[in-house]
């Protein structure tokens, strides 16, 4: 462990006034510090900053320090969000990890976490070991010749599907940004993962009111049932009226370098009958533009099947 300075601000103003690395639940930062992947000189423990609370009166609002477990258990939270949280990590970690920290967690690519291996996210310009290495878990969408790592968050997929926004604060004031725009595909700069500016802090997660999001789910496919990251996942909300899909929200995880919204699938579902055949036809567009690697080509059909499974779950699997 490298030496670092630790301070504990108690207000947002104090937290953004001093440059440093924020510590909330510590379930990502501490791991990466132990691995020598991150070596902050100044850590700001923000757990005493008043950034908690869950409000479901008109849409959803989560304070950035609200714990994942508390959000998952709240009765007013849309099912896709609650389920994504419950399928994340372990109960112990969900009770520690904050929603803001979860959205900022770093990739689980083993090469990123191995300081002996080249990684453009960790050391820009050093190369991407996964391109020709062990890449079964890696992305097929949004990749580049510089990085093929997946985004690790489950709940970010559900939040992107439901048009969530972030409220950010720094020493100059506050701003809001759509979560789908916040994340950035790697391109030639994979070390730049999002639109968080120096000195900024996530203060709130905002989800607009969507009454039919009560009919939503999150399906996660993984190698084992518990405490494992997604090979593929799908967050889906569906508005079905008289057997016809009136509207839909669809996003995928485990396959993209960022949580991957699927507008073409949504467009194909709107106006279609709520049948398995129609769901399969719509899901066929999910992997458009995919660039499979040597070990993860199976993710193309898996993505399509995962979306169909989620859609059938929301229609009780009865519309064949």
């Amino acid at each position: 462990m490298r030496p670092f300075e630790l301070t504990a601000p108690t207000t947002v103003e104090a937290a953004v006034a001093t440059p440093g690395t924020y510590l909330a639940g510590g379930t990502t930062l501490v791991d990466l510090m132990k691995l020598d992947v991150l070596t902050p000189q100044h850590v700001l423990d923000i757990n005493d900053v008043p950034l908690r609370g869950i409000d479901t009166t008109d849409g959803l609002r989560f304070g950035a320090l609200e714990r994942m477990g508390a959000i998952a258990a709240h009765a007013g939270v849309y099912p896709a969000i609650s389920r994504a949280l419950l399928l994340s990590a372990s109960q112990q970690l969900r009770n520690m990890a904050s929603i803001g920290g979860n959205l900022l967690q770093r990739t689980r690519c083993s090469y990123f976490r191995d300081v002996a291996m080249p990684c453009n996210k960790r050391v820009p310009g050093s190369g991407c070991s996964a391109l020709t290495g062990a890449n079964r878990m890696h992305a097929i969408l949004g990749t580049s010749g510089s990085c093929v790592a997946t985004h690790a968050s489950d709940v970010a997929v559900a939040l992107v599907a439901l048009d969530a926004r972030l409220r950010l604060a720094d020493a100059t004031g506050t701003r809001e940004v759509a979560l789908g725009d916040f994340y950035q595909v790697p391109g030639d700069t994979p070390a730049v993962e999002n639109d968080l500016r120096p000195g900024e802090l996530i203060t709130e997660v905002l989800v607009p009111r969507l009454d039919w999001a009560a009919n939503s789910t999150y399906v996660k496919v993984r190698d084992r049932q518990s405490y494992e990251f997604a090979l593929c996942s799908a967050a889906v909300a569906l508005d079905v009226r008289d057997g016809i899909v009136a509207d839909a929200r669809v996003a995928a995880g485990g396959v993209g370098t960022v949580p991957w919204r699927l507008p073409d699938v949504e467009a194909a579902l709107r106006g279609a009958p709520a049948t398995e055949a129609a769901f399969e036809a719509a899901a066929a567009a999910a992997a458009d533009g995919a660039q499979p690697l040597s070990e993860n080509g199976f993710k193309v059909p898996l993505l399509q099947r995962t979306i169909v499974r989620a859609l059938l779950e929301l229609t009780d699997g009865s519309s064949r």
Side-chain angles (χ1 to χ4, degrees):
M1 180 69 74
R2 296 175 184 268
F4 61 91
E5 180 184 9
L6 177 67
T7 57
T10 58
T11 65
V12 171
E13 293 76 15
V16 300
T18 305
T21 300
Y22 297 120
L23 172 71
T27 58
T28 290
L29 177 61
V30 174
D31 284 350
L32 295 178
M33 289 175 68
K34 289 179 177 179
L35 293 171
D36 217 24
V37 174
L38 295 182
T39 57
Q41 296 181 343
H42 185 194
V43 175
L44 294 95
D45 182 340
I46 58 172
N47 282 287
D48 289 334
V49 178
L51 293 176
R52 295 179 184 261
I54 302 171
D55 185 353
T56 61
T57 54
D58 186 22
L60 306 176
R61 184 198 70 81
F62 311 131
L65 286 178
E66 196 59 59
R67 281 1 190 194
M68 292 168 57
I71 296 173
H74 198 283
V77 173
Y78 298 136
I81 297 173
S82 177
R83 187 170 174 82
L85 288 166
L86 289 172
L87 291 174
S88 301
S90 64
Q91 183 65 58
Q92 293 91 335
L93 286 174
R94 293 194 296 271
N95 288 342
M96 282 292 296
S98 68
I99 187 69
N102 179 279
L103 297 179
L104 291 176
Q105 68 179 296
R106 308 298 298 275
T107 179
R108 293 288 164 166
C109 173
S110 59
Y111 297 112
F112 172 74
R113 291 167 176 266
D114 183 351
V115 295
M117 300 298 294
C119 172
N120 286 320
K121 276 188 180 293
R122 183 171 22 84
V123 182
S126 63
C128 175
S129 299
L131 285 172
T132 57
N135 51 43
R136 177 176 176 271
M137 296 291 293
H138 286 68
I140 58 173
L141 293 165
T143 60
S144 72
S146 297
C147 183
V148 294
T150 55
H151 193 272
S153 174
D154 288 296
V155 72
V157 179
L159 291 171
V160 165
L162 296 174
D163 296 316
R165 301 182 66 82
L166 300 181
R167 182 165 290 152
L168 310 169
D170 65 11
T172 65
T174 63
R175 67 182 178 110
E176 286 188 18
V177 60
L179 185 61
D181 296 330
F182 179 73
Y183 294 120
Q184 299 186 23
V185 296
D188 295 328
T189 56
V192 181
E193 298 180 341
N194 53 56
D195 187 35
L196 192 69
R197 299 169 185 171
E200 272 191 328
L201 176 68
I202 298 175
T203 60
E204 290 181 305
V205 180
L206 310 167
V207 184
R209 180 174 176 175
L210 188 66
D211 291 336
W212 52 270
N215 189 42
S216 65
T217 192
Y218 182 77
V219 171
K220 181 175 182 178
V221 179
R222 46 188 169 173
D223 285 326
R224 58 184 181 185
Q225 185 60 30
S226 65
Y227 197 42
E228 183 62 273
F229 292 89
L231 284 170
C232 181
S233 66
V236 174
L238 203 61
D239 182 14
V240 179
R241 304 178 190 180
D242 299 322
I244 301 297
V245 177
D247 208 347
R249 300 285 188 274
V250 184
V255 293
T257 54
V258 297
W260 203 258
R261 185 75 177 263
L262 293 164
D264 289 344
V265 175
E266 295 173 353
L269 286 168
R270 295 186 187 106
T275 64
E276 184 171 1
F279 295 161
E280 290 175 348
D288 285 356
Q291 295 183 304
L293 300 162
S294 59
E295 299 177 359
N296 68 359
F298 69 93
K299 287 192 176 187
V300 171
L302 180 62
L303 171 58
Q304 296 163 344
R305 291 197 299 268
T306 302
I307 292 169
V308 172
R309 176 178 158 189
L311 290 166
L312 288 173
E313 183 177 300
L314 294 178
T315 55
D316 297 322
S318 58
S319 297
R320 303 280 174 171

